[in-house]
Amino acid sequence: MHNNSVDYSLYLVTDRDCLGGKELVATVEQALQGGATVVQVREKNLSTLEFFQVTSRIKSITDKYGIPLIVNDRADIALAVDAAGLHIGQEDLPLAVARRLLGPDKIIGVSASTLEEALLAQEQGADYLGVGAVFPTNTKDDADSVSLAALKSIKEQVRIPVVAIGGINRSNVQPVMETGIAGVAVVSAVIAAQDPYEAACDMLQLIRA
Amino acid sequence: MHNNSVDYSLYLVTDRDCLGGKELVATVEQALQGGATVVQVREKNLSTLEFFQVTSRIKSITDKYGIPLIVNDRADIALAVDAAGLHIGQEDLPLAVARRLLGPDKIIGVSASTLEEALLAQEQGADYLGVGAVFPTNTKDDADSVSLAALKSIKEQVRIPVVAIGGINRSNVQPVMETGIAGVAVVSAVIAAQDPYEAACDMLQLIRA
Ligand code: NI
């Protein structure tokens, strides 16, 4: 898996808190069958052992579908499961440190909510940017909100792929994609859906429209 | 720093929650001046960035005193700061995975509260064992308590160094050391002390008596 071959169109981010009783790994598999193009495991409040175990199980599924697996925050887990990459926020390992641990061939994505953060991450070697939150959610991403105009401006001023994140669903994805970004990250729009397969299918259709 | 050259006598474990207003890095330095022989950074509820930053600062101090630094749970932080080793509990990365990430030359310690866990960790390549809790504390270590007789039995049935942990202080360290173990892990007995230098000195004197 090379950095430049990744399709960021429908970037699925896990969140066990919004499964509503469904099983996480099965939900991820349904989303992959529906067309998710990248999976990021982002789980809080798990022990390291649990994080490792759930990520290992998801890795088997992403491998089966030939889809890159990205691990949020934890370089140790990314290395332990031989993930395709790591996603770091502004409260995680510094990018230079993460790169040193993962080596040149792994994907490293960085969360950015300002042009300054975006340009700095690009300069330091990020492979893609997660930019948001573009719409209000109940998660920590709300801390920094990014208008669609700001998203577009960031997209136009960086060379690396931009993935928008934050409250994106079927009803609002169209104007997000019109900014020209590489893809959208979805959490509850797929993970919380009664039918994750159909939710992913529908999202992908709108993204590629 | 080679595994077999470590002096486990006074194994300091950090806990910012019991500093009582003192500064963590300064407290660790005073404990090192007082004779602590190993330092383990064990901090919960920090962001990865904060954990990395505090561990980096402590690494500068342990390097200055030529003392091995062990990182609790987080192999990524251990690698990021080039720590001497990693300490893993039963809810952390499996030992085989941790060894693969850290390589053969780093110290890996494992928490054990039964002979079975101790023997398994030794068989899987642990460099030392943290065995406890030998006395009641307010921390998670209480989940599994280990009598002094059980501690002695474990010590006698393994070949690797055993470090006792859990509520050890000046008043109870003597019978712990009489079991023949390599050293004791101290948290609040030094970290919470008004004078960490003197607390470490006093403990070391009792340990080596
Ligand atoms: Ni050495």
Side-chain angles (χ1 to χ4, degrees), chain A:
Chain A
M1 178 86 43
H2 291 277
N3 296 352
N4 54 9
S5 68
V6 176
D7 174 0
Y8 290 99
S9 303
L10 182 56
Y11 181 119
L12 180 73
V13 179
T14 71
D15 179 1
R16 60 200 306 123
D17 293 338
C18 74
L19 283 165
K22 300 193 302 297
E23 203 275 318
L24 180 60
V25 179
T27 299
V28 169
E29 179 154 19
Q30 289 159 32
L32 289 173
Q33 290 168 338
T37 60
V38 181
V39 174
Q40 180 192 129
V41 180
R42 181 174 70 180
E43 293 297 337
K44 305 291 178 188
N45 306 318
L46 292 184
S47 72
T48 296
L49 180 60
E50 290 168 319
F51 197 157
F52 167 69
Q53 288 170 335
V54 74
T55 308
S56 297
R57 291 176 62 212
I58 291 174
K59 178 66 159 48
S60 309
I61 302 297
T62 54
D63 279 355
K64 180 174 156 190
Y65 291 86
I67 292 295
L69 175 70
I70 308 277
V71 175
N72 185 266
D73 177 17
R74 296 290 298 262
D76 49 353
I77 306 292
L79 290 167
V81 307
D82 190 28
L86 177 72
H87 187 90
I88 53 179
Q90 302 285 328
E91 294 300 314
D92 299 336
L93 282 180
L95 177 48
V97 175
R99 180 61 74 195
R100 180 160 52 78
L101 297 186
L102 293 177
D105 295 334
K106 296 291 188 185
I107 301 163
I108 300 185
V110 175
S111 295
S113 57
T114 65
L115 178 61
E116 190 182 9
E117 287 174 355
L119 291 171
L120 182 64
Q122 173 178 268
E123 185 188 316
Q124 294 179 334
D127 294 300
Y128 75 90
L129 299 169
V131 176
V134 292
F135 300 113
T137 67
N138 294 321
T139 74
K140 63 162 187 145
D141 300 310
D142 280 353
D144 301 291
S145 72
V146 175
S147 69
L148 292 186
L151 174 66
K152 190 173 185 203
S153 166
I154 290 171
K155 187 266 159 192
E156 287 169 353
Q157 291 176 75
V158 299
R159 296 177 307 275
I160 55 179
V162 169
V163 178
I165 188 165
I168 301 168
N169 56 43
R170 277 191 287 191
S171 68
N172 61 26
V173 67
Q174 194 187 341
V176 177
M177 287 309 297
E178 282 169 359
T179 63
I181 58 171
V184 298
V186 292
V187 193
S188 64
V190 170
I191 298 287
Q194 274 202 310
D195 185 340
Y197 167 80
E198 175 148 337
C201 266
D202 289 355
M203 281 297 291
L204 192 61
Q205 204 166 3
L206 291 163
I207 288 163
R208 292 187 170 156

